[in-house]
Amino acid sequence: MLRIGWHCRCIAAVLSSYVLGTSAVLGIIGFVSRHILRRPIVSVFLLYPARREYADALAYQWHQRRFSWHPGLVGFYRQGERHGLIFGIPNLEDDVRAEQSGSCLLQLMARMEAARNRVGASRKVFAGVLPSTFARNGIENEHLAEQRHLTARAVLHALDDVLTRHGLRSDVPVLVLGGRGYIASEVLRLCNGRNVSSIDVGDLDKFRQFAADYGSGPAVVVNLTKSGALADYASAFWPGVIVLNEVYPEPSAAEIAALEDRGAVCYHIVGVEGEAWPPFPRAYRGGIPCCASLPFSPRDPIPVLISRLSRDGKLAAMEQV
């Protein structure tokens, strides 16, 4: 039965690429949403499988090769009365980060712009490291800065919620992992009045200094680096540390076990309140990733969803901030 289910998912992916992803079908979807349903598509969102097992679970390997860097329609999402379409590519994060990927990224941006125009959406947004990689390669998108700011606001909303849950004051020490990163630098810019410091990726000496300064009490470590990074720091954690993770994909069971062995607890930012069909996988199920979220007014609170992670792979019940 598991094999049959896998084939069904892979066949659905093939149909999506060869049928739903065509320019004509996207034009029809845009026309129907605007003029018949009266619910226009506001945004198109592009994601990718961060790990090989994710890609292999959803698409045949020949399909992954054939549609490399070609977005296919894989779902849609809703926030209140606003709607967006979800597109996917089979490329992994290593493909996105590769130095030789510049021309592929440029083509990818152009293809998403074409999809945006066909469905009549007003904006296009991207998952994971795509925004920072676009920026590093000089590929502009008018919505990248807006989404970066929204994600940073969501992280700070989640941080305040974690402090409240644990009865901690706003001046508790906070360390941002990956302070020079695309999202982290915006988080730091918005951290006026907080007791916040940051370190670059892999700066273990500075992390050990933070542990020496604050290791006798509570502290929050905000992970804004990359997948798997927490394992590099886990041995220096201590009871009282609270980890807040925003990185996709979520920390592995082994990483969570290493944190719990040191007495630390870990929360994951699921995203913002909303619905997706099909639901986003694993620790993102039940919400909309921050990077896909539709805009909120600067005066409005962001309905962030966070959940506590455990080594057995189970999620505590999600709560809205």
Side-chain angles (χ1 to χ4, degrees), residues 29-203:
I29 291 173
F31 179 87
V32 170
S33 65
R34 289 194 306 273
H35 301 293
I36 298 178
L37 300 179
R38 303 293 181 181
R39 296 178 181 273
I41 303 299
V42 177
S43 180
V44 291
F45 170 58
L46 179 68
L47 50 72
Y48 61 89
R51 295 172 178 159
R52 169 58 61 189
E53 58 264 32
Y54 289 8
D56 290 343
L58 297 171
Y60 298 118
Q61 290 192 3
W62 68 262
H63 183 208
Q64 296 175 41
R65 292 190 296 270
R66 167 64 180 81
F67 286 94
S68 177
W69 302 109
H70 285 74
L73 181 62
V74 297
F76 69 98
Y77 64 103
R78 182 181 71 184
Q79 288 178 255
E81 296 302 314
R82 300 181 295 175
H83 297 77
L85 295 181
I86 305 168
F87 291 77
I89 54 173
N91 303 83
L92 307 182
E93 190 160 296
D94 287 345
D95 300 326
V96 175
R97 291 181 180 273
E99 291 185 7
Q100 65 272 24
S101 67
S103 61
C104 296
L105 290 167
L106 190 62
Q107 292 175 346
L108 180 64
M109 178 67 82
R111 288 165 182 151
M112 284 302 295
E113 176 64 13
R116 184 192 70 80
N117 282 327
R118 291 300 294 169
V119 301
S122 59
R123 60 204 307 272
K124 57 184 182 294
V125 289
F126 302 89
V129 301
L130 278 168
S132 60
T133 308
F134 282 135
R136 190 171 64 249
N137 283 272
I139 302 172
E140 299 297 330
N141 171 22
E142 63 273 23
H143 301 116
L144 291 179
E146 177 187 50
Q147 209 66 15
R148 177 191 184 202
H149 180 73
L150 186 151
T151 301
R153 285 180 58 205
V155 170
L156 292 177
H157 275 277
L159 173 60
D160 288 336
D161 181 67
V162 167
L163 296 181
T164 300
R165 292 186 188 200
H166 288 264
L168 300 174
R169 295 171 29 165
S170 60
D171 61 352
V172 68
V174 176
L175 179 67
V176 175
L177 299 182
R180 291 186 181 180
Y182 186 72
I183 299 299
S185 57
E186 182 70 4
V187 169
L188 293 172
R189 190 183 71 83
L190 299 177
C191 275
N192 295 333
R194 297 175 185 263
N195 182 12
V196 176
S197 55
S198 68
I199 63 173
D200 297 332
V201 177
D203 193 345

Side-chain angles (χ1 to χ4, degrees), residues 221-233:
V221 174
V222 182
N223 183 30
L224 298 172
T225 53
K226 59 183 179 179
S227 175
L230 287 174
D232 296 334
Y233 305 96

